[in-house]
Amino acid sequence: MNPRPAGDGFGLHLVTDERVPFARLLEVVDAAASAGVDVVQVRAKSASGREFLRQARAVADAVAGRALVLVNDRVDVALAARDAGARIDGVHLGQSDLPPTTARRLLGAHTVVGWTANTPAHLDAASAFPAGTLDYLGVGVIRPTSTKPNHPPVLGVEGFAGLAARTALPCIAIGGVVDGDVVALRDAGAAGVAVVSAICAADDPGAATRAFRTAAAFATPGAVAAR
Ligand SMILES: Cc1ncc(COP(=O)(O)OP(=O)(O)O)c(N)n1
Ligand SMILES: Cc1nc(C(=O)O)sc1CCOP(=O)(O)O
Ligand SMILES: [Mg+2]
């Protein structure tokens, strides 16, 4: 089960920003879902398990089936939110979270499991998992970003391309990405982009989402050939 791309075939992931007051964040999620975001990932690094569960359920309610909803880091929170009736489509796991093989077993085949891969060794480890373990890789950072303190080294578009070339898995570019990067990242092999600030900090998150969608449409192979 791959993260469902929009009609232009380019995946747009919104990762929630815990710096934004939660009521505003739900407005952002609603606007982005209306404007065609493909995936909303609930990220709440400093929340308790109980608070993270509350946020995951509320985000899933706000999305209301218009995009996939993933939980960052916490398989237990994804399971608990599902148990409470929320539509949770999967998880995004980092290198220090539960192994993707465990997540796959616990969450089942019809669940999205994404994994962070920032180095050649991570890419090779991703390829070594049994087929069907992972749906996509998050690869970054493209640029320095204040959203993730102590983020991994900056790859730039060229560094991203080098990592993406090592795997057949879809690679989602993350870290400092803006809509003006979409064409270059797609040309570099990105199956999509994941953004926090570019949508969450925008005055008009719907317009910000549409700017990514428009850029992705211009970056489709057909549109490139037609230019
Ligand atoms: C799509 C996507 N890619 C990478 C990440 C980073 O995940 P992780 O390495 O677990 O870091 P945190 O987000 O937990 O700080 C991501 N969240 N999404
Ligand atoms: C959550 C996250 N993970 C990253 C990684 O490279 O693993 S970069 C990042 C933050 C992305 O936020 P923004 O779009 O505001 O730069
Ligand atoms: Mg993580």
Side-chain angles (χ1 to χ4, degrees), residues 59-119:
V59 168
D61 276 357
V63 169
R66 293 173 291 173
L68 299 180
V69 178
L70 308 185
V71 170
N72 177 265
D73 292 348
R74 299 280 298 265
V75 173
D76 59 336
V77 170
L79 284 166
R82 275 187 180 172
D83 181 62
R87 180 180 156 174
I88 300 294
D89 299 287
V91 290
H92 182 92
L93 301 174
Q95 290 288 323
S96 54
D97 299 321
L98 287 182
T101 44
T102 305
R104 173 62 69 204
R105 275 197 301 278
L106 291 172
L107 293 164
H110 300 290
T111 291
V112 175
V113 178
W115 199 45
T116 300
N118 300 316
T119 66

Side-chain angles (χ1 to χ4, degrees), residues 13 15 41 43 45 72-73 92-94 97 116 136 138-139 148 172 174 194:
H13 296 215
V15 182
Q41 182 193 133
R43 182 173 182 266
K45 302 298 287 186
N72 177 265
D73 292 348
H92 182 92
L93 301 174
D97 299 321
T116 300
Y136 73 91
V139 179
K148 187 172 169 70
I172 305 297
I174 187 168

Side-chain angles (χ1 to χ4, degrees), residues 115-118 123 137-142 155 160 163-164 171-175:
W115 199 45
T116 300
N118 300 316
L123 267 293
L137 298 175
V139 179
V141 296
I142 305 305
L155 298 170
F160 174 88
L163 290 181
C171 289
I172 305 297
I174 187 168

Side-chain angles (χ1 to χ4, degrees), residues 173-208:
I174 187 168
V177 174
V178 296
D179 59 275
D181 297 324
V182 163
V183 173
L185 285 168
R186 183 156 189 152
D187 287 351
V193 292
V195 301
V196 179
S197 319
I199 292 178
C200 290
D203 289 339
D204 183 342

